[in-house]
PDB file of all heavy atoms in Angstrom:
ATOM      1  N   GLN S   1     -18.099 -25.401  12.785  1.00 98.00           N
ATOM      2  CA  GLN S   1     -17.374 -25.346  14.059  1.00 98.00           C
ATOM      3  C   GLN S   1     -16.987 -26.772  14.538  1.00 98.00           C
ATOM      4  O   GLN S   1     -15.849 -26.986  14.986  1.00 98.00           O
ATOM      5  CB  GLN S   1     -18.228 -24.634  15.093  1.00 98.00           C
ATOM      6  CG  GLN S   1     -17.509 -24.473  16.435  1.00 98.00           C
ATOM      7  CD  GLN S   1     -18.439 -23.911  17.497  1.00 98.00           C
ATOM      8  OE1 GLN S   1     -19.011 -24.674  18.252  1.00 98.00           O
ATOM      9  NE2 GLN S   1     -18.581 -22.621  17.569  1.00 98.00           N
ATOM     10  N   ARG S   2     -17.917 -27.689  14.558  1.00 97.00           N
ATOM     11  CA  ARG S   2     -17.600 -29.032  15.091  1.00 97.00           C
ATOM     12  C   ARG S   2     -16.515 -29.705  14.242  1.00 97.00           C
ATOM     13  O   ARG S   2     -15.628 -30.372  14.774  1.00 97.00           O
ATOM     14  CB  ARG S   2     -18.895 -29.899  15.037  1.00 97.00           C
ATOM     15  CG  ARG S   2     -19.916 -29.587  16.118  1.00 97.00           C
ATOM     16  CD  ARG S   2     -20.994 -30.564  16.179  1.00 97.00           C
ATOM     17  NE  ARG S   2     -21.978 -30.305  17.228  1.00 97.00           N
ATOM     18  CZ  ARG S   2     -22.999 -31.037  17.511  1.00 97.00           C
ATOM     19  NH1 ARG S   2     -23.262 -32.167  16.818  1.00 97.00           N
ATOM     20  NH2 ARG S   2     -23.835 -30.673  18.471  1.00 97.00           N
ATOM     21  N   ARG S   3     -16.563 -29.482  12.949  1.00 98.00           N
ATOM     22  CA  ARG S   3     -15.565 -30.079  12.090  1.00 98.00           C
ATOM     23  C   ARG S   3     -14.184 -29.507  12.385  1.00 98.00           C
ATOM     24  O   ARG S   3     -13.208 -30.204  12.449  1.00 98.00           O
ATOM     25  CB  ARG S   3     -15.937 -29.874  10.629  1.00 98.00           C
ATOM     26  CG  ARG S   3     -14.976 -30.484   9.617  1.00 98.00           C
ATOM     27  CD  ARG S   3     -15.332 -30.114   8.194  1.00 98.00           C
ATOM     28  NE  ARG S   3     -14.375 -30.558   7.220  1.00 98.00           N
ATOM     29  CZ  ARG S   3     -14.288 -30.068   6.018  1.00 98.00           C
ATOM     30  NH1 ARG S   3     -15.117 -29.149   5.579  1.00 98.00           N
ATOM     31  NH2 ARG S   3     -13.331 -30.455   5.187  1.00 98.00           N
ATOM     32  N   ILE S   4     -14.155 -28.195  12.582  1.00 98.00           N
ATOM     33  CA  ILE S   4     -12.880 -27.505  12.925  1.00 98.00           C
ATOM     34  C   ILE S   4     -12.312 -28.035  14.230  1.00 98.00           C
ATOM     35  O   ILE S   4     -11.123 -28.414  14.349  1.00 98.00           O
ATOM     36  CB  ILE S   4     -13.098 -25.993  13.009  1.00 98.00           C
ATOM     37  CG1 ILE S   4     -13.427 -25.411  11.670  1.00 98.00           C
ATOM     38  CG2 ILE S   4     -11.872 -25.306  13.583  1.00 98.00           C
ATOM     39  CD1 ILE S   4     -13.896 -23.948  11.708  1.00 98.00           C
ATOM     40  N   LEU S   5     -13.163 -28.065  15.272  1.00 97.00           N
ATOM     41  CA  LEU S   5     -12.728 -28.550  16.580  1.00 97.00           C
ATOM     42  C   LEU S   5     -12.282 -30.004  16.604  1.00 97.00           C
ATOM     43  O   LEU S   5     -11.291 -30.323  17.208  1.00 97.00           O
ATOM     44  CB  LEU S   5     -13.806 -28.295  17.608  1.00 97.00           C
ATOM     45  CG  LEU S   5     -14.120 -26.804  17.908  1.00 97.00           C
ATOM     46  CD1 LEU S   5     -15.313 -26.684  18.799  1.00 97.00           C
ATOM     47  CD2 LEU S   5     -12.904 -26.117  18.533  1.00 97.00           C
ATOM     48  N   SER S   6     -13.061 -30.814  15.901  1.00 97.00           N
ATOM     49  CA  SER S   6     -12.706 -32.245  15.876  1.00 97.00           C
ATOM     50  C   SER S   6     -11.419 -32.477  15.130  1.00 97.00           C
ATOM     51  O   SER S   6     -10.619 -33.358  15.501  1.00 97.00           O
ATOM     52  CB  SER S   6     -13.851 -33.088  15.262  1.00 97.00           C
ATOM     53  OG  SER S   6     -14.059 -32.691  13.954  1.00 97.00           O
ATOM     54  N   THR S   7     -11.210 -31.713  14.079  1.00 97.00           N
ATOM     55  CA  THR S   7      -9.959 -31.810  13.309  1.00 97.00           C
ATOM     56  C   THR S   7      -8.757 -31.400  14.139  1.00 97.00           C
ATOM     57  O   THR S   7      -7.689 -31.996  14.120  1.00 97.00           O
ATOM     58  CB  THR S   7     -10.040 -30.965  12.013  1.00 97.00           C
ATOM     59  OG1 THR S   7     -11.123 -31.427  11.204  1.00 97.00           O
ATOM     60  CG2 THR S   7      -8.741 -31.137  11.201  1.00 97.00           C
ATOM     61  N   MET S   8      -8.961 -30.304  14.892  1.00 96.00           N
ATOM     62  CA  MET S   8      -7.910 -29.823  15.792  1.00 96.00           C
ATOM     63  C   MET S   8      -7.605 -30.858  16.885  1.00 96.00           C
ATOM     64  O   MET S   8      -6.401 -31.139  17.138  1.00 96.00           O
ATOM     65  CB  MET S   8      -8.312 -28.482  16.454  1.00 96.00           C
ATOM     66  CG  MET S   8      -7.258 -27.931  17.343  1.00 96.00           C
ATOM     67  SD  MET S   8      -7.826 -26.473  18.286  1.00 96.00           S
ATOM     68  CE  MET S   8      -8.891 -27.288  19.505  1.00 96.00           C
ATOM     69  N   GLN S   9      -8.616 -31.411  17.469  1.00 96.00           N
ATOM     70  CA  GLN S   9      -8.407 -32.454  18.508  1.00 96.00           C
ATOM     71  C   GLN S   9      -7.683 -33.690  17.970  1.00 96.00           C
ATOM     72  O   GLN S   9      -6.933 -34.341  18.682  1.00 96.00           O
ATOM     73  CB  GLN S   9      -9.754 -32.816  19.118  1.00 96.00           C
ATOM     74  CG  GLN S   9     -10.347 -31.674  19.967  1.00 96.00           C
ATOM     75  CD  GLN S   9     -11.786 -31.924  20.302  1.00 96.00           C
ATOM     76  OE1 GLN S   9     -12.393 -32.898  19.901  1.00 96.00           O
ATOM     77  NE2 GLN S   9     -12.379 -31.027  21.113  1.00 96.00           N
ATOM     78  N   ALA S  10      -7.963 -33.977  16.682  1.00 97.00           N
ATOM     79  CA  ALA S  10      -7.310 -35.127  16.048  1.00 97.00           C
ATOM     80  C   ALA S  10      -5.963 -34.793  15.467  1.00 97.00           C
ATOM     81  O   ALA S  10      -5.322 -35.651  14.869  1.00 97.00           O
ATOM     82  CB  ALA S  10      -8.223 -35.721  14.966  1.00 97.00           C
ATOM     83  N   GLN S  11      -5.498 -33.547  15.668  1.00 96.00           N
ATOM     84  CA  GLN S  11      -4.295 -33.048  15.126  1.00 96.00           C
ATOM     85  C   GLN S  11      -4.206 -33.172  13.647  1.00 96.00           C
ATOM     86  O   GLN S  11      -3.159 -33.482  13.057  1.00 96.00           O
ATOM     87  CB  GLN S  11      -3.074 -33.775  15.768  1.00 96.00           C
ATOM     88  CG  GLN S  11      -3.015 -33.560  17.284  1.00 96.00           C
ATOM     89  CD  GLN S  11      -1.782 -34.194  17.966  1.00 96.00           C
ATOM     90  OE1 GLN S  11      -1.235 -35.119  17.412  1.00 96.00           O
ATOM     91  NE2 GLN S  11      -1.421 -33.711  19.138  1.00 96.00           N
ATOM     92  N   GLY S  12      -5.341 -32.914  13.015  1.00 97.00           N
ATOM     93  CA  GLY S  12      -5.437 -32.963  11.581  1.00 97.00           C
ATOM     94  C   GLY S  12      -5.113 -31.615  10.931  1.00 97.00           C
ATOM     95  O   GLY S  12      -4.625 -30.700  11.575  1.00 97.00           O
ATOM     96  N   ASP S  13      -5.397 -31.520   9.634  1.00 97.00           N
ATOM     97  CA  ASP S  13      -5.090 -30.280   8.886  1.00 97.00           C
ATOM     98  C   ASP S  13      -6.244 -29.269   9.007  1.00 97.00           C
ATOM     99  O   ASP S  13      -7.173 -29.275   8.239  1.00 97.00           O
ATOM    100  CB  ASP S  13      -4.914 -30.678   7.404  1.00 97.00           C
ATOM    101  CG  ASP S  13      -4.359 -29.493   6.549  1.00 97.00           C
ATOM    102  OD1 ASP S  13      -4.369 -28.357   7.073  1.00 97.00           O
ATOM    103  OD2 ASP S  13      -3.923 -29.713   5.422  1.00 97.00           O
ATOM    104  N   VAL S  14      -6.161 -28.479  10.086  1.00 97.00           N
ATOM    105  CA  VAL S  14      -7.211 -27.507  10.356  1.00 97.00           C
ATOM    106  C   VAL S  14      -7.314 -26.416   9.274  1.00 97.00           C
ATOM    107  O   VAL S  14      -8.400 -25.999   8.890  1.00 97.00           O
ATOM    108  CB  VAL S  14      -7.009 -26.838  11.720  1.00 97.00           C
ATOM    109  CG1 VAL S  14      -8.084 -25.819  12.040  1.00 97.00           C
ATOM    110  CG2 VAL S  14      -7.006 -27.908  12.820  1.00 97.00           C
ATOM    111  N   LEU S  15      -6.156 -26.019   8.743  1.00 97.00           N
ATOM    112  CA  LEU S  15      -6.147 -24.989   7.699  1.00 97.00           C
ATOM    113  C   LEU S  15      -6.915 -25.447   6.485  1.00 97.00           C
ATOM    114  O   LEU S  15      -7.633 -24.662   5.863  1.00 97.00           O
ATOM    115  CB  LEU S  15      -4.713 -24.652   7.322  1.00 97.00           C
ATOM    116  CG  LEU S  15      -4.574 -23.537   6.296  1.00 97.00           C
ATOM    117  CD1 LEU S  15      -5.266 -22.251   6.733  1.00 97.00           C
ATOM    118  CD2 LEU S  15      -3.077 -23.295   6.005  1.00 97.00           C
ATOM    119  N   ALA S  16      -6.830 -26.747   6.124  1.00 97.00           N
ATOM    120  CA  ALA S  16      -7.524 -27.294   4.994  1.00 97.00           C
ATOM    121  C   ALA S  16      -9.049 -27.147   5.209  1.00 97.00           C
ATOM    122  O   ALA S  16      -9.822 -26.911   4.306  1.00 97.00           O
ATOM    123  CB  ALA S  16      -7.149 -28.747   4.741  1.00 97.00           C
ATOM    124  N   VAL S  17      -9.488 -27.367   6.482  1.00 98.00           N
ATOM    125  CA  VAL S  17     -10.927 -27.254   6.829  1.00 98.00           C
ATOM    126  C   VAL S  17     -11.343 -25.816   6.642  1.00 98.00           C
ATOM    127  O   VAL S  17     -12.427 -25.548   6.072  1.00 98.00           O
ATOM    128  CB  VAL S  17     -11.134 -27.726   8.271  1.00 98.00           C
ATOM    129  CG1 VAL S  17     -12.647 -27.510   8.618  1.00 98.00           C
ATOM    130  CG2 VAL S  17     -10.754 -29.167   8.465  1.00 98.00           C
ATOM    131  N   TYR S  18     -10.563 -24.881   7.119  1.00 98.00           N
ATOM    132  CA  TYR S  18     -10.891 -23.452   6.894  1.00 98.00           C
ATOM    133  C   TYR S  18     -10.959 -23.127   5.443  1.00 98.00           C
ATOM    134  O   TYR S  18     -11.865 -22.375   4.991  1.00 98.00           O
ATOM    135  CB  TYR S  18      -9.873 -22.542   7.579  1.00 98.00           C
ATOM    136  CG  TYR S  18     -10.104 -22.346   9.051  1.00 98.00           C
ATOM    137  CD1 TYR S  18      -9.269 -22.941  10.005  1.00 98.00           C
ATOM    138  CD2 TYR S  18     -11.175 -21.547   9.520  1.00 98.00           C
ATOM    139  CE1 TYR S  18      -9.521 -22.757  11.381  1.00 98.00           C
ATOM    140  CE2 TYR S  18     -11.384 -21.354  10.873  1.00 98.00           C
ATOM    141  CZ  TYR S  18     -10.560 -21.977  11.838  1.00 98.00           C
ATOM    142  OH  TYR S  18     -10.789 -21.824  13.155  1.00 98.00           O
ATOM    143  N   ASN S  19     -10.023 -23.657   4.648  1.00 98.00           N
ATOM    144  CA  ASN S  19     -10.048 -23.391   3.190  1.00 98.00           C
ATOM    145  C   ASN S  19     -11.354 -23.849   2.573  1.00 98.00           C
ATOM    146  O   ASN S  19     -11.953 -23.158   1.695  1.00 98.00           O
ATOM    147  CB  ASN S  19      -8.864 -24.074   2.555  1.00 98.00           C
ATOM    148  CG  ASN S  19      -7.546 -23.343   2.822  1.00 98.00           C
ATOM    149  OD1 ASN S  19      -7.530 -22.130   3.024  1.00 98.00           O
ATOM    150  ND2 ASN S  19      -6.422 -24.109   2.811  1.00 98.00           N
ATOM    151  N   ASP S  20     -11.798 -25.030   2.954  1.00 98.00           N
ATOM    152  CA  ASP S  20     -13.104 -25.589   2.454  1.00 98.00           C
ATOM    153  C   ASP S  20     -14.263 -24.645   2.850  1.00 98.00           C
ATOM    154  O   ASP S  20     -15.184 -24.421   2.057  1.00 98.00           O
ATOM    155  CB  ASP S  20     -13.322 -26.974   2.980  1.00 98.00           C
ATOM    156  CG  ASP S  20     -12.437 -28.034   2.350  1.00 98.00           C
ATOM    157  OD1 ASP S  20     -11.810 -27.738   1.352  1.00 98.00           O
ATOM    158  OD2 ASP S  20     -12.357 -29.125   2.914  1.00 98.00           O
ATOM    159  N   ILE S  21     -14.219 -24.149   4.070  1.00 97.00           N
ATOM    160  CA  ILE S  21     -15.355 -23.353   4.616  1.00 97.00           C
ATOM    161  C   ILE S  21     -15.473 -22.039   3.877  1.00 97.00           C
ATOM    162  O   ILE S  21     -16.544 -21.573   3.556  1.00 97.00           O
ATOM    163  CB  ILE S  21     -15.178 -23.190   6.139  1.00 97.00           C
ATOM    164  CG1 ILE S  21     -15.445 -24.525   6.889  1.00 97.00           C
ATOM    165  CG2 ILE S  21     -16.129 -22.099   6.629  1.00 97.00           C
ATOM    166  CD1 ILE S  21     -15.130 -24.457   8.350  1.00 97.00           C
ATOM    167  N   VAL S  22     -14.323 -21.395   3.667  1.00 97.00           N
ATOM    168  CA  VAL S  22     -14.347 -19.975   3.083  1.00 97.00           C
ATOM    169  C   VAL S  22     -14.334 -19.964   1.551  1.00 97.00           C
ATOM    170  O   VAL S  22     -14.602 -18.942   0.949  1.00 97.00           O
ATOM    171  CB  VAL S  22     -13.165 -19.176   3.627  1.00 97.00           C
ATOM    172  CG1 VAL S  22     -13.218 -19.113   5.122  1.00 97.00           C
ATOM    173  CG2 VAL S  22     -11.826 -19.690   3.117  1.00 97.00           C
ATOM    174  N   ALA S  23     -14.042 -21.102   0.917  1.00 97.00           N
ATOM    175  CA  ALA S  23     -13.972 -21.146  -0.550  1.00 97.00           C
ATOM    176  C   ALA S  23     -15.233 -20.620  -1.228  1.00 97.00           C
ATOM    177  O   ALA S  23     -15.135 -19.881  -2.209  1.00 97.00           O
ATOM    178  CB  ALA S  23     -13.597 -22.539  -1.042  1.00 97.00           C
ATOM    179  N   PRO S  24     -16.438 -20.989  -0.795  1.00 96.00           N
ATOM    180  CA  PRO S  24     -17.631 -20.525  -1.508  1.00 96.00           C
ATOM    181  C   PRO S  24     -17.785 -19.011  -1.453  1.00 96.00           C
ATOM    182  O   PRO S  24     -18.494 -18.440  -2.313  1.00 96.00           O
ATOM    183  CB  PRO S  24     -18.792 -21.209  -0.693  1.00 96.00           C
ATOM    184  CG  PRO S  24     -18.174 -22.407  -0.113  1.00 96.00           C
ATOM    185  CD  PRO S  24     -16.770 -21.994   0.244  1.00 96.00           C
ATOM    186  N   ALA S  25     -17.117 -18.314  -0.548  1.00 95.00           N
ATOM    187  CA  ALA S  25     -17.167 -16.846  -0.506  1.00 95.00           C
ATOM    188  C   ALA S  25     -16.102 -16.192  -1.334  1.00 95.00           C
ATOM    189  O   ALA S  25     -15.988 -14.980  -1.377  1.00 95.00           O
ATOM    190  CB  ALA S  25     -17.002 -16.381   0.994  1.00 95.00           C
ATOM    191  N   GLY S  26     -15.347 -17.011  -2.092  1.00 95.00           N
ATOM    192  CA  GLY S  26     -14.352 -16.482  -3.014  1.00 95.00           C
ATOM    193  C   GLY S  26     -12.944 -16.305  -2.430  1.00 95.00           C
ATOM    194  O   GLY S  26     -12.058 -15.718  -3.049  1.00 95.00           O
ATOM    195  N   LEU S  27     -12.757 -16.822  -1.180  1.00 95.00           N
ATOM    196  CA  LEU S  27     -11.398 -16.735  -0.582  1.00 95.00           C
ATOM    197  C   LEU S  27     -10.575 -17.930  -1.003  1.00 95.00           C
ATOM    198  O   LEU S  27     -10.907 -19.060  -0.795  1.00 95.00           O
ATOM    199  CB  LEU S  27     -11.531 -16.687   0.950  1.00 95.00           C
ATOM    200  CG  LEU S  27     -11.604 -15.355   1.631  1.00 95.00           C
ATOM    201  CD1 LEU S  27     -11.769 -15.514   3.132  1.00 95.00           C
ATOM    202  CD2 LEU S  27     -10.426 -14.498   1.314  1.00 95.00           C
ATOM    203  N   THR S  28      -9.419 -17.611  -1.619  1.00 97.00           N
ATOM    204  CA  THR S  28      -8.519 -18.688  -2.002  1.00 97.00           C
ATOM    205  C   THR S  28      -7.623 -19.125  -0.816  1.00 97.00           C
ATOM    206  O   THR S  28      -7.458 -18.328   0.157  1.00 97.00           O
ATOM    207  CB  THR S  28      -7.562 -18.248  -3.104  1.00 97.00           C
ATOM    208  OG1 THR S  28      -6.753 -17.140  -2.598  1.00 97.00           O
ATOM    209  CG2 THR S  28      -8.396 -17.699  -4.313  1.00 97.00           C
ATOM    210  N   PRO S  29      -7.041 -20.286  -0.862  1.00 97.00           N
ATOM    211  CA  PRO S  29      -6.176 -20.719   0.244  1.00 97.00           C
ATOM    212  C   PRO S  29      -4.994 -19.719   0.474  1.00 97.00           C
ATOM    213  O   PRO S  29      -4.610 -19.453   1.578  1.00 97.00           O
ATOM    214  CB  PRO S  29      -5.643 -22.084  -0.210  1.00 97.00           C
ATOM    215  CG  PRO S  29      -6.740 -22.610  -1.095  1.00 97.00           C
ATOM    216  CD  PRO S  29      -7.292 -21.368  -1.762  1.00 97.00           C
ATOM    217  N   GLU S  30      -4.513 -19.183  -0.693  1.00 97.00           N
ATOM    218  CA  GLU S  30      -3.391 -18.226  -0.595  1.00 97.00           C
ATOM    219  C   GLU S  30      -3.825 -16.931   0.138  1.00 97.00           C
ATOM    220  O   GLU S  30      -3.093 -16.406   0.987  1.00 97.00           O
ATOM    221  CB  GLU S  30      -2.879 -17.903  -1.981  1.00 97.00           C
ATOM    222  CG  GLU S  30      -2.188 -19.043  -2.683  1.00 97.00           C
ATOM    223  CD  GLU S  30      -3.193 -20.069  -3.293  1.00 97.00           C
ATOM    224  OE1 GLU S  30      -4.419 -19.720  -3.365  1.00 97.00           O
ATOM    225  OE2 GLU S  30      -2.818 -21.168  -3.642  1.00 97.00           O
ATOM    226  N   ALA S  31      -5.002 -16.470  -0.192  1.00 97.00           N
ATOM    227  CA  ALA S  31      -5.504 -15.198   0.349  1.00 97.00           C
ATOM    228  C   ALA S  31      -5.793 -15.405   1.887  1.00 97.00           C
ATOM    229  O   ALA S  31      -5.447 -14.544   2.681  1.00 97.00           O
ATOM    230  CB  ALA S  31      -6.777 -14.736  -0.309  1.00 97.00           C
ATOM    231  N   LEU S  32      -6.356 -16.537   2.266  1.00 97.00           N
ATOM    232  CA  LEU S  32      -6.659 -16.790   3.591  1.00 97.00           C
ATOM    233  C   LEU S  32      -5.351 -16.900   4.444  1.00 97.00           C
ATOM    234  O   LEU S  32      -5.267 -16.347   5.571  1.00 97.00           O
ATOM    235  CB  LEU S  32      -7.447 -18.078   3.778  1.00 97.00           C
ATOM    236  CG  LEU S  32      -7.800 -18.515   5.227  1.00 97.00           C
ATOM    237  CD1 LEU S  32      -8.613 -17.432   5.921  1.00 97.00           C
ATOM    238  CD2 LEU S  32      -8.510 -19.819   5.273  1.00 97.00           C
ATOM    239  N   LEU S  33      -4.313 -17.576   3.911  1.00 97.00           N
ATOM    240  CA  LEU S  33      -3.054 -17.730   4.611  1.00 97.00           C
ATOM    241  C   LEU S  33      -2.410 -16.392   4.869  1.00 97.00           C
ATOM    242  O   LEU S  33      -1.865 -16.114   5.924  1.00 97.00           O
ATOM    243  CB  LEU S  33      -2.146 -18.629   3.866  1.00 97.00           C
ATOM    244  CG  LEU S  33      -0.819 -18.986   4.563  1.00 97.00           C
ATOM    245  CD1 LEU S  33      -1.066 -19.710   5.876  1.00 97.00           C
ATOM    246  CD2 LEU S  33       0.084 -19.835   3.640  1.00 97.00           C
ATOM    247  N   VAL S  34      -2.480 -15.492   3.858  1.00 98.00           N
ATOM    248  CA  VAL S  34      -1.921 -14.146   4.023  1.00 98.00           C
ATOM    249  C   VAL S  34      -2.625 -13.407   5.142  1.00 98.00           C
ATOM    250  O   VAL S  34      -1.971 -12.794   5.982  1.00 98.00           O
ATOM    251  CB  VAL S  34      -2.061 -13.374   2.710  1.00 98.00           C
ATOM    252  CG1 VAL S  34      -1.794 -11.881   2.919  1.00 98.00           C
ATOM    253  CG2 VAL S  34      -1.109 -13.883   1.635  1.00 98.00           C
ATOM    254  N   CYS S  35      -3.943 -13.542   5.244  1.00 97.00           N
ATOM    255  CA  CYS S  35      -4.714 -12.858   6.283  1.00 97.00           C
ATOM    256  C   CYS S  35      -4.348 -13.436   7.639  1.00 97.00           C
ATOM    257  O   CYS S  35      -4.115 -12.688   8.599  1.00 97.00           O
ATOM    258  CB  CYS S  35      -6.203 -13.013   6.055  1.00 97.00           C
ATOM    259  SG  CYS S  35      -6.865 -11.995   4.673  1.00 97.00           S
ATOM    260  N   LEU S  36      -4.264 -14.805   7.752  1.00 97.00           N
ATOM    261  CA  LEU S  36      -3.978 -15.419   9.008  1.00 97.00           C
ATOM    262  C   LEU S  36      -2.585 -15.065   9.537  1.00 97.00           C
ATOM    263  O   LEU S  36      -2.338 -15.028  10.758  1.00 97.00           O
ATOM    264  CB  LEU S  36      -4.120 -16.921   8.890  1.00 97.00           C
ATOM    265  CG  LEU S  36      -5.537 -17.465   8.679  1.00 97.00           C
ATOM    266  CD1 LEU S  36      -5.522 -18.904   8.407  1.00 97.00           C
ATOM    267  CD2 LEU S  36      -6.403 -17.192   9.947  1.00 97.00           C
ATOM    268  N   GLN S  37      -1.661 -14.775   8.616  1.00 97.00           N
ATOM    269  CA  GLN S  37      -0.304 -14.450   8.998  1.00 97.00           C
ATOM    270  C   GLN S  37      -0.076 -12.952   9.085  1.00 97.00           C
ATOM    271  O   GLN S  37       1.095 -12.560   9.448  1.00 97.00           O
ATOM    272  CB  GLN S  37       0.658 -15.080   8.000  1.00 97.00           C
ATOM    273  CG  GLN S  37       0.640 -16.608   8.029  1.00 97.00           C
ATOM    274  CD  GLN S  37       1.597 -17.201   7.017  1.00 97.00           C
ATOM    275  OE1 GLN S  37       2.006 -16.603   5.995  1.00 97.00           O
ATOM    276  NE2 GLN S  37       2.006 -18.471   7.226  1.00 97.00           N
ATOM    277  N   ASP S  38      -1.013 -12.174   8.844  1.00 97.00           N
ATOM    278  CA  ASP S  38      -0.929 -10.673   8.828  1.00 97.00           C
ATOM    279  C   ASP S  38      -0.927 -10.168  10.285  1.00 97.00           C
ATOM    280  O   ASP S  38      -1.935 -10.308  10.970  1.00 97.00           O
ATOM    281  CB  ASP S  38      -2.057 -10.067   8.013  1.00 97.00           C
ATOM    282  CG  ASP S  38      -1.923  -8.553   7.902  1.00 97.00           C
ATOM    283  OD1 ASP S  38      -1.024  -7.972   8.517  1.00 97.00           O
ATOM    284  OD2 ASP S  38      -2.717  -7.973   7.157  1.00 97.00           O
ATOM    285  N   PRO S  39       0.183  -9.571  10.757  1.00 97.00           N
ATOM    286  CA  PRO S  39       0.204  -9.051  12.114  1.00 97.00           C
ATOM    287  C   PRO S  39      -0.906  -8.030  12.383  1.00 97.00           C
ATOM    288  O   PRO S  39      -1.445  -7.977  13.457  1.00 97.00           O
ATOM    289  CB  PRO S  39       1.623  -8.434  12.223  1.00 97.00           C
ATOM    290  CG  PRO S  39       2.443  -9.150  11.218  1.00 97.00           C
ATOM    291  CD  PRO S  39       1.492  -9.420  10.076  1.00 97.00           C
ATOM    292  N   ALA S  40      -1.194  -7.194  11.375  1.00 96.00           N
ATOM    293  CA  ALA S  40      -2.179  -6.178  11.549  1.00 96.00           C
ATOM    294  C   ALA S  40      -3.587  -6.766  11.778  1.00 96.00           C
ATOM    295  O   ALA S  40      -4.371  -6.308  12.624  1.00 96.00           O
ATOM    296  CB  ALA S  40      -2.233  -5.228  10.309  1.00 96.00           C
ATOM    297  N   MET S  41      -3.885  -7.864  11.067  1.00 96.00           N
ATOM    298  CA  MET S  41      -5.226  -8.492  11.215  1.00 96.00           C
ATOM    299  C   MET S  41      -5.278  -9.263  12.544  1.00 96.00           C
ATOM    300  O   MET S  41      -6.335  -9.298  13.152  1.00 96.00           O
ATOM    301  CB  MET S  41      -5.476  -9.431  10.020  1.00 96.00           C
ATOM    302  CG  MET S  41      -5.610  -8.710   8.721  1.00 96.00           C
ATOM    303  SD  MET S  41      -6.517  -9.722   7.457  1.00 96.00           S
ATOM    304  CE  MET S  41      -8.180  -9.679   8.077  1.00 96.00           C
ATOM    305  N   ASN S  42      -4.161  -9.814  12.978  1.00 95.00           N
ATOM    306  CA  ASN S  42      -4.141 -10.468  14.280  1.00 95.00           C
ATOM    307  C   ASN S  42      -4.335  -9.444  15.415  1.00 95.00           C
ATOM    308  O   ASN S  42      -5.047  -9.706  16.392  1.00 95.00           O
ATOM    309  CB  ASN S  42      -2.809 -11.251  14.442  1.00 95.00           C
ATOM    310  CG  ASN S  42      -2.797 -12.563  13.793  1.00 95.00           C
ATOM    311  OD1 ASN S  42      -3.177 -13.584  14.411  1.00 95.00           O
ATOM    312  ND2 ASN S  42      -2.430 -12.628  12.518  1.00 95.00           N
ATOM    313  N   GLN S  43      -3.715  -8.274  15.209  1.00 95.00           N
ATOM    314  CA  GLN S  43      -3.878  -7.209  16.228  1.00 95.00           C
ATOM    315  C   GLN S  43      -5.355  -6.728  16.235  1.00 95.00           C
ATOM    316  O   GLN S  43      -5.925  -6.525  17.272  1.00 95.00           O
ATOM    317  CB  GLN S  43      -2.968  -6.070  15.942  1.00 95.00           C
ATOM    318  CG  GLN S  43      -3.088  -4.898  16.944  1.00 95.00           C
ATOM    319  CD  GLN S  43      -2.096  -3.814  16.674  1.00 95.00           C
ATOM    320  OE1 GLN S  43      -1.177  -3.952  15.914  1.00 95.00           O
ATOM    321  NE2 GLN S  43      -2.309  -2.635  17.298  1.00 95.00           N
ATOM    322  N   GLN S  44      -5.934  -6.589  15.038  1.00 92.00           N
ATOM    323  CA  GLN S  44      -7.306  -6.130  14.952  1.00 92.00           C
ATOM    324  C   GLN S  44      -8.272  -7.157  15.607  1.00 92.00           C
ATOM    325  O   GLN S  44      -9.202  -6.710  16.287  1.00 92.00           O
ATOM    326  CB  GLN S  44      -7.706  -5.972  13.463  1.00 92.00           C
ATOM    327  CG  GLN S  44      -9.114  -5.448  13.251  1.00 92.00           C
ATOM    328  CD  GLN S  44      -9.532  -5.428  11.846  1.00 92.00           C
ATOM    329  OE1 GLN S  44      -9.361  -6.423  11.111  1.00 92.00           O
ATOM    330  NE2 GLN S  44     -10.056  -4.278  11.343  1.00 92.00           N
TER     331      GLN S  44
END
């Protein structure tokens, strides 16, 4: 969380931080981006 927030405050690449965080669980950058842009998941 601190890394995400500090990156956001520094106007850095927050998506890259998320990619690093979720990678050990088997989520690829492509799969995460699809989820983040999915209107249904945003509504959920």
Side-chain angles (χ1 to χ4, degrees):
Q1 184 188 92
R2 287 188 178 182
R3 183 184 172 199
I4 293 169
L5 292 173
S6 63
T7 302
M8 182 187 73
Q9 292 168 355
Q11 299 183 337
D13 190 347
V14 178
L15 182 57
V17 177
Y18 277 107
N19 286 331
D20 287 345
I21 289 172
V22 303
L27 267 178
T28 65
E30 294 77 16
L32 178 60
L33 185 60
V34 167
C35 287
L36 291 172
Q37 294 178 339
D38 184 354
M41 294 199 73
N42 279 269
Q43 180 178 346
Q44 182 186 50

